[in-house]
Amino acid sequence: MSAYLHCPLCGFEFEKRDTACVHGCPLGRFCKLVRCPNCQYEFSDRPESMGLLQRLFHRPRPAAVPRDALPLPELGEGESSELVCLDCTHASRRNALAVFGLVPGCRVVLQQKRPAVVVRVGETELALDLDIAREILVRRV
Amino acid sequence: MIAEAPILTASHPVILVGNPNVGKSVLFSKLTGKFVIISNYPGTTVEIARGNAAVGDDTVEVLDTPGINELAAHTDDARVTCDVLRDHPDATIVQVADAKNLRRALLLTQQLAERQQPMVLVLNMMDELDRCGAHIDARKLGELLGIPVVPTIATEEIGIELLKKAAAEVGAASPPRFVGFPPGRGGDAAPTTRLEELLTRANKILAQVHTHIRPRRPSFGQKLGWWATHPVKGLALLALVLYFTFWFVGLLGAGTAVDFCENVVFGRQVSPWAIRLVDAGLLFPHQHDTQESRFRLEIPLTPAHGIALHESTAAVLAPTYSYDPGAIPGWWTQAKRLAHDFLVGEYGVITMALSYALAIVLPIVTTFFLVFSILEDSGYLPRLAIMVNRVFRTMGLNGKAVLPMILGLGCDTMATMTTRILESRKERVITTLLLALAVPCSAQLGVLLAMMASVSFAAALSWLALMIVIMIVIGWLTARLLGGPTSDFILEIPPMRQPQLANVLIKTMARLEWYLKEVVPLFVLGTGILFVLDKLRVLGQIARLGEPLVTGWLGLPAETSNAFLIGFLRRDFGAVCLLEAATGPQPLLTPHQVLVAMITITLFMPCIATLFMISRELGRRTATVITLFIFPFAFLVGGLVNHLGNWLGF
């Protein structure tokens, strides 16, 4: 599980600690809700707990991945590409990439693949794990 | 003015905020004239630095913060920045941006603007932007954002005055507004997250102010940066860097320079003069021994070869002396003898503490800090993270942890603080443990290198191999014990830059000053403890008590007990004591014993200061657990190596 939680209401991202309620609720640590320190909104950090309801009403469709998109490491070294989408499971990972400018539409140059992937976004050189790089889908330009 | 200054300082500080490695600290030191460590990698600053800057007639407090990429506390150093911003709601924010990476900076600008505080945007490193063949219209950018935009080249002090003026003006004006933004979303790809939305907006601004002409060919620095991360060329470059470091620190620093300082400066000048001076002041009947001091000035090539330039021998006074026990009657003479011994005796402040700290360790740390500062400023260290990422994965860490580890070779205490750049507590605990256990700091490393010179090259290699194996095994075990996922490896690589001589020298001097202030008193304290224990005749008893451990288990002579005893205070002090036993005309230790002693003392806790820092960063409980693990483990491994060596017949 990701170490960071993403508040669905205000979008604030925080670590899962000090997130319990403060009003002496008898449920104590058995409570499954976490509270966003920014907006005080309470939500469940384990979405699978609402399995049945979710299956009935909120069936998440697989994201439509364009045909010509391919994982970043499949490019050759030195090849330039345009980022199509981030196929990340964790919001925190997508956020971590976004702050370096890795968002759909940006130009990415793959500089090397071994021993770790190095990409160039604008004037930023970024070293990534191979499995993170695989989640970056790009289109050749 | 004088009455006004403190009020102004208290109410309207200036906070320097910005992405990592954009030059906030350079700007801070240029604004305030205060020294802060400046290097070329993200995460140099992990704590707030405060200073005062003169703006016009007023004095304004300036705060330097750790770099952040967004206004969220993912790591402990980012938390420091967020806390500072929260605690100073009335401060003027000076956002420092790398002009080459304006898009990322604008992301942060928008988040900062939401705080509704007076704000100035600084476009730093304009010279590097020029070299990239790009141009930014700062004036237009200022109009679009509605805040002053100041282009600077902080290292050359260009634009500093403009910035001071802008900060003073904006502090009095109304909060910033964003003008010229098309509100909401737009463009071809609909942004899905907030950050994407902010970046889309940043792109729109950039399109209006940024013009780019591609450079014709990559510079040498860029190419060197690529080689440094290449799987094959990178390893070759690493070997080259390591050999140069070994040559400069191990051979030139720990060999020639220490030889000169210890034998010529201290052995022939300082110690004999101190002895004569003390003898003249504190009269009691005794006769000092003389010893032979040999000195060979050479330019080393390898551990065994060198070009000898000069050789000399001399007979000098030694701290040991002979006297007739019956000839010292009365307490007054006894007291004088005690004072004499405290200053220039076997465990004397001048003959032991100062000669160890200034003649043996100081030349070593000086040479080390020089090389280290050059490496830091070149931007090579983060590239190392790429090379070792795979190995660090097995230890439950990622490549990022290489930064604190390498800094640990400078000083383990500072490095423990730098673990704040790591994302999870698990990674911080593992890195801290490995730092305390197996990463020798500069002082100790130098002493160890000198000890290695007295044994074979194979022994030195086996020491290195054992340390690496221990790090990997202990790291792996700790990762299993703590559980939890390892955080993602996403690391920004700074450009390779030519180190500036002035910065390298200033940084080295600052670190040496710190060394003299912090380490020398501890050496004196340690010597004082040894002196008292020796006079109370406890030292012999401790040696006897430690006999089963030191003599039985480690197979070392009982005289080395006090080295381990003092190693509890600072392990490099213990190492110096062992070095004294390992070298000299009649070495006390055999090569095999030197290896065992080296390994045991390397695995000790670095020093008292590191222990305090661990306890501050990770809590008292973790610090206790780490300590309780380290010392028995050190003796365990030392003993195992001893028995293995005996069994193999060394």
Side-chain angles (χ1 to χ4, degrees), chain B residues 562-564 566-567 570-579 601:
Chain B
N562 53 19
F564 291 108
I566 213 68
R570 273 192 73 86
R571 63 179 175 187
D572 47 316
F573 197 175
V576 181
C577 297
L578 290 172
L579 175 68
I601 203 77

Tab-separated table of all heavy atoms in Angstrom, chain B residues 562-564 566-567 570-579 601:
chain	number	residue	atom	x	y	z
B	562	ASN	N	42.685	-0.003	26.191
B	562	ASN	CA	42.300	1.406	26.333
B	562	ASN	C	41.916	2.027	24.997
B	562	ASN	O	41.151	2.977	24.957
B	562	ASN	CB	43.384	2.224	27.054
B	562	ASN	CG	44.729	2.065	26.429
B	562	ASN	OD1	44.834	1.644	25.281
B	562	ASN	ND2	45.782	2.381	27.178
B	563	ALA	N	42.435	1.469	23.892
B	563	ALA	CA	42.012	1.965	22.582
B	563	ALA	C	40.524	1.726	22.401
B	563	ALA	O	39.792	2.609	21.940
B	563	ALA	CB	42.794	1.273	21.469
B	564	PHE	N	40.060	0.543	22.780
B	564	PHE	CA	38.642	0.243	22.629
B	564	PHE	C	37.816	1.035	23.635
B	564	PHE	O	36.715	1.484	23.343
B	564	PHE	CB	38.394	-1.259	22.788
B	564	PHE	CG	38.952	-2.047	21.651
B	564	PHE	CD1	40.073	-2.838	21.812
B	564	PHE	CD2	38.378	-1.945	20.401
B	564	PHE	CE1	40.604	-3.534	20.748
B	564	PHE	CE2	38.900	-2.638	19.321
B	564	PHE	CZ	40.011	-3.436	19.502
B	566	ILE	N	38.444	4.012	24.765
B	566	ILE	CA	38.306	5.383	24.305
B	566	ILE	C	37.533	5.429	22.993
B	566	ILE	O	36.956	6.441	22.629
B	566	ILE	CB	39.709	6.035	24.179
B	566	ILE	CG1	39.639	7.507	24.506
B	566	ILE	CG2	40.337	5.805	22.845
B	566	ILE	CD1	39.345	7.784	25.949
B	567	GLY	N	37.471	4.275	22.329
B	567	GLY	CA	36.680	4.183	21.098
B	567	GLY	C	35.200	4.384	21.355
B	567	GLY	O	34.449	4.738	20.447
B	570	ARG	N	34.961	8.304	20.850
B	570	ARG	CA	35.090	8.566	19.404
B	570	ARG	C	35.854	7.404	18.820
B	570	ARG	O	36.950	7.106	19.250
B	570	ARG	CB	35.890	9.843	19.152
B	570	ARG	CG	35.098	11.104	19.146
B	570	ARG	CD	35.959	12.229	18.602
B	570	ARG	NE	36.134	12.090	17.157
B	570	ARG	CZ	35.261	12.575	16.270
B	570	ARG	NH1	34.203	13.206	16.665
B	570	ARG	NH2	35.462	12.421	14.980
B	571	ARG	N	35.287	6.778	17.780
B	571	ARG	CA	35.977	5.590	17.294
B	571	ARG	C	37.264	5.947	16.564
B	571	ARG	O	38.181	5.138	16.501
B	571	ARG	CB	35.055	4.731	16.427
B	571	ARG	CG	34.560	5.368	15.158
B	571	ARG	CD	33.682	4.391	14.384
B	571	ARG	NE	33.105	5.056	13.226
B	571	ARG	CZ	32.203	4.521	12.421
B	571	ARG	NH1	31.746	3.311	12.665
B	571	ARG	NH2	31.734	5.171	11.396
B	572	ASP	N	37.375	7.173	16.027
B	572	ASP	CA	38.636	7.509	15.373
B	572	ASP	C	39.749	7.707	16.397
B	572	ASP	O	40.911	7.441	16.120
B	572	ASP	CB	38.489	8.748	14.472
B	572	ASP	CG	37.765	9.880	15.149
B	572	ASP	OD1	36.754	9.600	15.792
B	572	ASP	OD2	38.211	11.029	15.037
B	573	PHE	N	39.390	8.152	17.604
B	573	PHE	CA	40.387	8.272	18.669
B	573	PHE	C	40.921	6.885	19.009
B	573	PHE	O	42.132	6.663	19.122
B	573	PHE	CB	39.730	8.917	19.894
B	573	PHE	CG	40.714	9.465	20.898
B	573	PHE	CD1	40.249	10.167	22.000
B	573	PHE	CD2	42.069	9.294	20.744
B	573	PHE	CE1	41.129	10.685	22.932
B	573	PHE	CE2	42.960	9.802	21.671
B	573	PHE	CZ	42.480	10.499	22.772
B	574	GLY	N	39.994	5.926	19.127
B	574	GLY	CA	40.410	4.543	19.357
B	574	GLY	C	41.306	4.061	18.240
B	574	GLY	O	42.326	3.408	18.467
B	575	ALA	N	40.945	4.440	17.011
B	575	ALA	CA	41.726	4.003	15.859
B	575	ALA	C	43.128	4.591	15.895
B	575	ALA	O	44.101	3.925	15.540
B	575	ALA	CB	41.013	4.396	14.568
B	576	VAL	N	43.246	5.846	16.360
B	576	VAL	CA	44.582	6.461	16.437
B	576	VAL	C	45.440	5.710	17.444
B	576	VAL	O	46.620	5.450	17.209
B	576	VAL	CB	44.486	7.955	16.810
B	576	VAL	CG1	45.870	8.562	16.869
B	576	VAL	CG2	43.655	8.710	15.810
B	577	CYS	N	44.822	5.331	18.583
B	577	CYS	CA	45.569	4.564	19.582
B	577	CYS	C	46.061	3.252	18.971
B	577	CYS	O	47.193	2.821	19.207
B	577	CYS	CB	44.698	4.255	20.798
B	577	CYS	SG	44.169	5.710	21.682
B	578	LEU	N	45.197	2.604	18.180
B	578	LEU	CA	45.578	1.349	17.542
B	578	LEU	C	46.664	1.584	16.504
B	578	LEU	O	47.578	0.780	16.353
B	578	LEU	CB	44.358	0.703	16.886
B	578	LEU	CG	43.316	0.157	17.857
B	578	LEU	CD1	42.079	-0.281	17.114
B	578	LEU	CD2	43.901	-1.005	18.647
B	579	LEU	N	46.563	2.721	15.811
B	579	LEU	CA	47.575	3.047	14.807
B	579	LEU	C	48.938	3.172	15.472
B	579	LEU	O	49.939	2.673	14.962
B	579	LEU	CB	47.207	4.360	14.108
B	579	LEU	CG	48.231	4.903	13.106
B	579	LEU	CD1	48.323	3.999	11.900
B	579	LEU	CD2	47.890	6.310	12.671
B	601	ILE	N	37.195	-1.782	15.362
B	601	ILE	CA	37.026	-0.352	15.659
B	601	ILE	C	36.207	0.335	14.566
B	601	ILE	O	35.509	1.307	14.833
B	601	ILE	CB	38.397	0.338	15.870
B	601	ILE	CG1	38.250	1.608	16.711
B	601	ILE	CG2	39.085	0.661	14.589
B	601	ILE	CD1	38.089	1.351	18.168
